[in-house]
Amino acid sequence: MRSRTIAKPAAPNAPKPAKVRAERGMPVAVAGVPVKEVQEFWIVEDREWTGQPIRRHYWELNTLAGANVVVFRDKLTDRWFSQTA
C-alpha cells in the first residue's frame, strides 16, 4: 500500500491578510470598499508569557457595499488581517 501525506486544512476562522486603508489608525476602506460605520472596536493583548504574544486592535465594520467585516491590525507586525468568527 502506498502512503500519502494529507495536508491539514487551514482553520476556518484563521486570519487572512487584508487590504485596509486607515486614517489615524482607523479603517476607512477594506479591499477598496469604503467603510460606512464602525459597529464595534476592541483590543486583544494576550500570551505575554509565551514567545508569541498577541497584540491586536479589532474593528467590526459595515461597508458601503452592505458587507459586515471584522478586521484587525497586528500591533507587533503593523499588518492588517480579516477574520471571521
Side-chain angles (χ1 to χ4, degrees), residues 1-61:
M1 184 161 112
R2 195 170 163 190
S3 68
R4 292 187 295 168
T5 303
I6 298 174
K8 181 180 175 184
N13 64 345
K16 296 175 179 71
K19 289 187 77 173
V20 176
R21 186 168 56 86
E23 293 178 2
R24 294 184 295 271
M26 178 184 273
V28 295
V30 179
V33 180
V35 171
K36 179 179 177 183
E37 63 184 342
V38 175
Q39 289 290 340
E40 192 172 359
F41 169 83
W42 66 99
I43 297 171
V44 174
E45 293 187 4
D46 197 10
R47 297 169 53 180
E48 292 294 327
W49 60 93
T50 72
Q52 297 178 334
I54 294 173
R55 291 192 187 112
R56 298 174 178 173
H57 289 192
Y58 279 86
W59 285 266
E60 181 179 357
L61 311 165

